[in-house]
Amino acid sequence: MSDATQIFSEFLGTAILVLLGDGVCAAVNLKKSKAEASGWIVIAMGWATAVTIAVYASGFMGPAHLNPAVTLGMAMTGNFEWSLAVPFMLAQVAGGIVGAILVWLNYLPLWDETEDQGAILGTFATGPAVRNLVSNTMTEIIGTFVLVFGLLAFGANTFTDGLNPIVVGILILAIGLSLGGPTGYAINPARDLGPRIAHQILPIKNKGTSDWGYAIVPIVGPFIGAAIAAGLFMMLPL
């Protein structure tokens, strides 16, 4: 595939990822939603299936990283060319913005019904259960390490054709259920930054602050986790 096609696939795939992933957060968080207060298991399942569908929808056009941290890890291990890294990351963030705007449109009447500013922001971006930026960053490092190391390990295995996106979805589900509680498991800078930008610019009643003071955590933590995973993988006697 051409470079332009691959870059577009990252934009499209990340937009679908955020549309479905933030969509489940909106379904659970917003007042008068039919899925209101359905809980963490629903959110974790929603994000896992969002990743699976997004990979299927974009993977025939490119590698379907859909995550700047994954792009970094793949480039570090030689599985991806460095020259496309920045264009991929920009496309991923842009896709995150568009996906979040589509979530806003999909739930348009429900925003006015919701007064909880934290619930509104939580439909777009991640936030800590207990705010401690060092600890929160560590959580994102650990979660992203598992993600990127898992993806690299999957690449060293042989799966039945078409099965890989499902296995990736299971990996996301495992991370969400086991490691996601402290921070909401961004494990993806574009998944957090793009929707946070959308939250900042959209005319949402009662939305409050976009909490830019926390935004560094889901950017720095995933990049560090991805770099550690890639470094360890390259040290293995394969």
Side-chain angles (χ1 to χ4, degrees):
M1 292 292 177
S2 69
D3 290 353
T5 298
Q6 293 186 70
I7 292 167
F8 173 75
S9 75
E10 291 297 314
F11 167 80
L12 177 64
T14 309
I16 293 171
L17 168 66
V18 171
L19 171 60
L20 298 178
D22 276 4
V24 73
C25 293
V28 172
N29 288 344
L30 297 183
K31 290 293 183 183
K32 297 190 178 180
S33 163
K34 290 183 180 294
E36 183 183 355
S38 51
W40 185 252
I41 303 299
V42 171
I43 288 176
M45 289 293 296
W47 271 103
T49 52
V51 170
T52 299
I53 298 304
V55 173
Y56 274 125
S58 61
F60 68 95
M61 293 182 286
H65 295 168
L66 316 184
N67 182 338
V70 172
T71 297
L72 174 64
M74 295 301 170
M76 286 181 62
T77 55
N79 292 299
F80 182 69
E81 31 186 317
W82 280 105
S83 62
L84 283 176
V86 171
F88 262 44
M89 293 177 187
L90 293 175
Q92 290 154 1
V93 173
I97 295 171
V98 170
I101 292 172
L102 291 174
V103 172
W104 171 67
L105 290 171
N106 189 74
Y107 285 90
L108 198 57
L110 278 66
W111 303 104
D112 287 351
E113 304 293 335
T114 307
E115 297 180 355
D116 185 338
Q117 295 179 358
I120 292 172
L121 179 58
T123 65
F124 289 88
T126 61
V130 177
R131 196 181 190 93
N132 180 315
L133 297 188
V134 173
S135 178
N136 303 150
T137 301
M138 183 59 65
T139 295
E140 290 294 330
I141 290 171
I142 293 169
T144 312
F145 171 87
V146 173
L147 170 63
V148 174
F149 192 86
L151 293 176
L152 290 168
F154 293 164
N157 285 274
T158 301
F159 294 98
T160 301
D161 285 348
L163 184 63
N164 190 264
I166 295 175
V167 178
V168 174
I170 293 171
L171 174 61
I172 297 296
L173 179 61
I175 293 170
L177 293 176
S178 300
L179 304 174
T183 63
Y185 70 115
I187 60 174
N188 181 343
R191 169 266 176 276
D192 189 273
L193 179 59
R196 199 180 295 270
I197 292 171
H199 178 272
Q200 177 72 47
I201 63 177
L202 287 172
I204 302 172
K205 183 180 178 181
N206 301 320
K207 71 177 181 178
T209 174
S210 300
D211 195 9
W212 289 104
Y214 181 77
I216 191 67
V217 170
I219 295 174
V220 171
F223 278 130
I224 295 174
I228 295 171
L232 176 60
F233 191 83
M234 288 188 292
M235 293 171 59
L236 297 177
L238 301 176

